[in-house]
Amino acid sequence: MIRANNYTKAPNQNKVWKVAIYIRLSRDDGNDESLSVTNQRMIIHDYLENSFDSEYTVVNHYIDDGLSGTTDYERIAFQQMISDMEAGKIDCIMCKTLSRAFRNYSDQGYFLERVFPLHGVRFISLGDPTVDTFLNPEVVQGMEIPMSGIMNDRYSAKISNDVRRTFDTKRRKGEFIGAFAPYGYKKNPENKTHLIIDEEAAQVVRNIFHWFVYDGMSKSGIVKHLNSLGILTPTNYKHSKGLNLKTPNHHKNDGLWGVNTVSRILKNPMYIGTMVQGKQRTISYKVHDKVQPSEDEWYVVENTHEPIIDKSIFDLAQNLMKRNTRTAPSKRHVHTFSGFLKCADCGMSMARKTTRRNTKKFGVRELVRYICSTFSQKSKDKCTNHTIKLEELNEAVLRAIQVQIALVDDMAAVIKEINKQPVIQIQSKQLKQLLETKKQELEKVTNVTDNLYVDWKSGDITKQEYIRMKSKFEQQANELKENIRNVESEIAVSQKGVSITDSYLTTFLKHKNIQTLERGLLLELVDIIYIHENKKITIKFNFEDQHKRMLEFIQQNKKATHDNKNQVM
């Protein structure tokens, strides 16, 4: 549209201004109708039609909807407008107020005093203060415009701090503040800060954990399986539900599952009902780049929503991911013992070797054995030939687990008998003695640290020696304090006594009648399997601390149990 007005400034009376209309609506504006896109557009067009001084044509409307004004590089429409300005497509920029274009004081000065004059661009702001760099170029050099910019800048800082404090409060309370719920959940329609299970996606999450923990599938195997079934990825699933989710690499989205996506699901404690937020934050209200705070700065609140995955399965998955487990490119499943076997002498992993042999009786047979990786792959001088056949290993491990389960069964029977007694000894003498020892060590380290200052000031040691030694002893003190907290925690647990419902007992006893080995069973019961040179094995079972605590509990109460049995007889 072109309109002529009675403006008589001679040098420009025949000029046709190429106008860009810039409109911005911030998330901070809420539902304020006066700041709406429609209202801003109406005010600017009213000015053009009734008050503008020359002929003009509106080149384009540049609209950033829901974006902050404190940065220009994140505003796509603003960037496009600047690009069009540099290309000579526009020579006049109009906006409702200065704060619509800038809330960053430094950017305001940069564009008004440098960029726009350099490109011969007229800038008009209709609000208070009114700016027209063509009719009144001196206004930019005065006090009012810079002061207005500072006030807008400070207002943004205040709003940003207020919003951040509000969000931090919600995070501490375990209220969900994200734009989109994690895959497997959805926002409660009656309370947007509370998550409820999205059953369709939750079943996929359950399948992923089950495949990984109990079926022995590798993460890459799970990816292939999901893609073969045509299961929508978390991003595409949200899109199918009408949610406009955009990830940092959404332009690269090929619609297929990837290993990173499966890994994130397996590691996410949200699936056991624990709210974890604050893994990322913006640097400041001006710099919107993301940084990753350390884990101790995250907001972690347990039991905020219904879990999709049982904690025991989640813990098994975390344990499994720490192991060195690999599969051949064509395989989906992890071998039963993958990540469990170590050489008893050098401590390195055992390598799996497969050979094929022709036999008259069975034809081609595949023979699998495990051998020390140091001996087979690095140097035969650094270790010896620790090797064991898969069949022998299977038999030995199964027998050892059966023996351990029988032992645990006996312990459970003894503990049950002990708990019938009127007086039970539950104090751990070893733990109390350990606690006293650690406290004495801490007191000694503290005294030495206190005396260092005197030694420095008296000239016995230099300042550099003082700083180095003080740092060393402070580190020792912190380690001792952590030790003391751990021992006190153990004492608190031991004082509760031992119940036959203890997780150690129940985990082993539910496998009381096992006849075959499965990977899921190993994950629950076994930590490491050591292979000796003579083909013997040593198994380090899970729940080692609980086992020691129960043996001590039984030993402390042995006399009471014996006396009770004599009375029964």
Side-chain angles (χ1 to χ4, degrees):
M1 179 181 68
I2 301 176
R3 178 180 177 85
N5 289 293
N6 296 324
Y7 182 70
T8 58
K9 191 168 183 179
N12 291 282
Q13 60 186 359
N14 295 320
K15 179 175 178 61
V16 178
W17 292 95
K18 295 174 288 187
V19 176
I21 295 175
Y22 181 70
I23 296 170
R24 181 182 64 83
L25 183 68
S26 171
R27 288 186 293 266
D28 299 335
D29 297 330
N31 297 318
D32 191 338
E33 180 60 28
S34 67
L35 297 175
S36 68
V37 171
T38 302
N39 184 270
Q40 292 182 58
R41 190 198 306 266
M42 180 183 67
I43 290 173
I44 295 171
H45 275 281
D46 182 70
Y47 175 82
L48 283 169
E49 293 172 6
N50 298 298
S51 304
F52 196 59
D53 50 56
S54 297
E55 294 183 358
Y56 67 91
T57 181
V58 175
V59 175
N60 203 351
H61 295 78
Y62 300 86
I63 302 172
D64 282 313
D65 194 347
L67 297 175
S68 169
T70 54
T71 57
D72 59 288
Y73 59 86
E74 287 184 353
R75 292 183 282 164
I76 298 174
F78 186 91
Q79 287 288 358
Q80 183 60 53
M81 181 177 69
I82 297 302
S83 177
D84 289 348
M85 175 198 73
E86 292 171 343
K89 297 179 181 179
I90 58 176
D91 57 15
C92 179
I93 295 174
M94 296 186 67
C95 59
K96 180 176 179 285
T97 60
L98 275 173
S99 64
R100 293 299 95 191
F102 319 105
R103 275 194 173 169
N104 184 319
Y105 171 65
S106 59
D107 282 348
Q108 175 182 296
Y110 172 71
F111 282 100
L112 290 182
E113 298 178 25
R114 178 176 175 80
V115 176
F116 294 160
L118 184 64
H119 290 85
V121 170
R122 178 180 184 179
F123 179 81
I124 299 174
S125 168
L126 306 181
D128 189 19
T130 301
V131 178
D132 189 326
T133 59
F134 174 69
L135 294 180
N136 185 15
E138 292 80 10
V139 69
V140 176
Q141 307 299 326
M143 293 294 294
E144 186 177 14
I145 301 305
M147 289 299 296
S148 177
I150 291 174
M151 291 179 65
N152 287 331
D153 194 311
R154 293 301 89 197
Y155 176 77
S156 287
K158 179 181 181 303
I159 291 295
S160 175
N161 289 333
D162 289 346
V163 169
R164 179 167 292 189
R165 279 194 295 269
T166 300
F167 282 172
D168 286 348
T169 299
K170 289 179 175 291
R171 291 187 183 105
R172 278 190 289 270
K173 292 167 63 178
E175 296 180 5
F176 183 73
I177 64 169
F180 301 98
Y183 181 67
Y185 288 100
K186 57 186 176 182
K187 293 184 180 181
N188 189 336
E190 299 177 0
N191 179 4
K192 298 297 185 182
T193 64
H194 181 250
L195 299 178
I196 58 176
I197 291 178
D198 177 359
E199 192 55 43
E200 183 180 353
Q203 188 54 50
V204 178
V205 174
R206 295 188 192 102
N207 289 341
I208 289 172
F209 274 88
H210 191 277
W211 293 334
F212 186 67
V213 173
Y214 293 112
D215 290 353
M217 291 181 71
S218 64
K219 284 178 279 190
S220 60
I222 292 172
V223 166
K224 294 173 184 176
H225 192 48
L226 288 167
N227 287 329
S228 70
L229 294 174
I231 304 295
L232 293 177
T233 65
T235 299
N236 287 358
Y237 177 77
K238 285 181 168 60
H239 289 166
S240 74
K241 298 299 180 181
L243 301 175
N244 188 26
L245 171 66
K246 289 186 178 180
T247 60
N249 295 315
H250 67 275
H251 59 286
K252 298 180 181 178
N253 182 15
D254 57 6
L256 297 175
W257 285 81
V259 171
N260 289 338
T261 303
V262 171
S263 293
R264 283 194 295 269
I265 288 175
L266 290 170
K267 294 176 182 177
N268 194 347
M270 296 286 277
Y271 296 122
I272 58 172
T274 298
M275 185 70 70
V276 181
Q277 299 183 100
K279 290 185 177 182
Q280 286 187 333
R281 66 173 178 226
T282 54
I283 295 176
S284 72
Y285 75 101
K286 289 184 178 182
V287 183
H288 288 196
D289 291 337
K290 302 287 187 180
V291 295
Q292 295 182 336
S294 60
E295 193 169 335
D296 59 357
E297 296 181 75
W298 296 354
Y299 294 86
V300 181
V301 185
E302 297 180 349
N303 304 317
T304 60
H305 52 278
E306 184 180 356
I308 293 175
I309 299 299
D310 187 80
K311 189 176 184 301
S312 61
I313 298 176
F314 183 82
D315 289 342
L316 288 173
Q318 308 320 298
N319 179 30
L320 180 56
M321 280 189 285
K322 295 176 184 177
R323 300 179 184 273
N324 180 21
T325 55
R326 299 175 183 174
T327 57
S330 60
K331 303 291 185 181
R332 290 186 180 179
H333 293 265
V334 178
H335 297 299
T336 302
F337 293 103
S338 183
F340 284 97
L341 305 179
K342 289 187 181 296
C343 173
D345 289 324
C346 71
M348 296 301 292
S349 298
M350 300 290 288
R352 179 184 170 95
K353 301 290 184 182
T354 303
T355 57
R356 294 179 181 274
R357 291 183 182 176
N358 261 317
T359 64
K360 293 181 179 179
K361 186 175 181 180
F362 300 104
V364 178
R365 289 191 65 192
E366 188 177 78
L367 300 178
V368 179
R369 63 190 177 99
Y370 288 93
I371 185 170
C372 171
S373 59
T374 300
F375 179 82
S376 66
Q377 299 173 8
K378 295 182 179 179
S379 171
K380 290 181 170 52
D381 297 328
K382 300 299 181 182
C383 199
T384 55
N385 187 19
H386 297 63
T387 183
I388 188 169
K389 294 178 182 178
L390 177 59
E391 293 86 351
E392 296 171 337
L393 179 63
N394 261 317
E395 183 181 348
V397 172
L398 178 60
R399 187 168 59 250
I401 290 177
Q402 289 170 335
V403 170
Q404 184 69 13
I405 291 174
L407 173 63
V408 171
D409 194 20
D410 290 341
M411 290 175 65
V414 174
I415 289 168
K416 185 176 181 180
E417 197 68 31
I418 290 173
N419 286 335
K420 293 179 181 179
Q421 307 309 311
V423 179
I424 302 174
Q425 299 293 325
I426 58 176
Q427 293 290 340
S428 173
K429 294 179 181 178
Q430 287 91 338
L431 287 175
K432 290 182 69 175
Q433 184 178 357
L434 179 60
L435 179 63
E436 186 62 30
T437 301
K438 293 299 179 182
K439 285 184 175 180
Q440 290 174 0
E441 290 178 11
L442 177 60
E443 184 177 1
K444 290 179 182 178
V445 171
T446 302
N447 290 336
V448 171
T449 305
D450 292 342
N451 291 332
L452 282 176
Y453 182 78
V454 177
D455 293 341
W456 169 35
K457 287 302 181 182
S458 63
D460 292 337
I461 59 175
T462 65
K463 182 179 180 180
Q464 289 75 18
E465 289 173 328
Y466 166 71
I467 293 173
R468 178 178 56 80
M469 295 172 69
K470 181 173 182 288
S471 175
K472 176 183 176 182
F473 285 120
E474 284 179 343
Q475 182 179 351
Q476 289 183 10
N478 288 334
E479 290 174 355
L480 286 168
K481 289 175 183 177
E482 181 65 23
N483 294 152
I484 290 170
R485 284 194 292 269
N486 292 336
V487 174
E488 288 175 338
S489 177
E490 283 293 314
I491 290 175
V493 171
S494 70
Q495 288 176 341
K496 296 178 182 178
V498 176
S499 168
I500 59 172
T501 61
D502 186 278
S503 60
Y504 168 44
L505 300 179
T506 57
T507 300
F508 273 81
L509 293 181
K510 74 179 181 181
H511 300 292
K512 196 171 179 179
N513 299 312
I514 63 158
Q515 298 300 321
T516 57
L517 279 181
E518 294 179 353
R519 186 167 176 80
L521 172 73
L522 291 180
L523 285 169
E524 284 194 80
L525 307 185
V526 174
D527 183 14
I528 297 294
I529 302 171
Y530 293 100
I531 309 298
H532 296 269
E533 190 174 10
N534 56 6
K535 297 185 180 181
K536 290 185 178 180
I537 66 168
T538 299
I539 298 181
K540 180 183 178 184
F541 288 98
N542 293 329
F543 303 97
E544 188 174 27
D545 291 339
Q546 291 95 317
H547 182 79
K548 291 178 180 177
R549 178 164 57 87
M550 288 184 186
L551 287 178
E552 183 183 357
F553 176 78
I554 292 172
Q555 187 66 32
Q556 284 178 292
N557 291 276
K558 190 174 182 180
K559 185 177 183 303
T561 305
H562 179 73
D563 292 345
N564 183 62
K565 285 183 177 179
N566 288 338
Q567 290 176 9
V568 173
M569 293 174 63

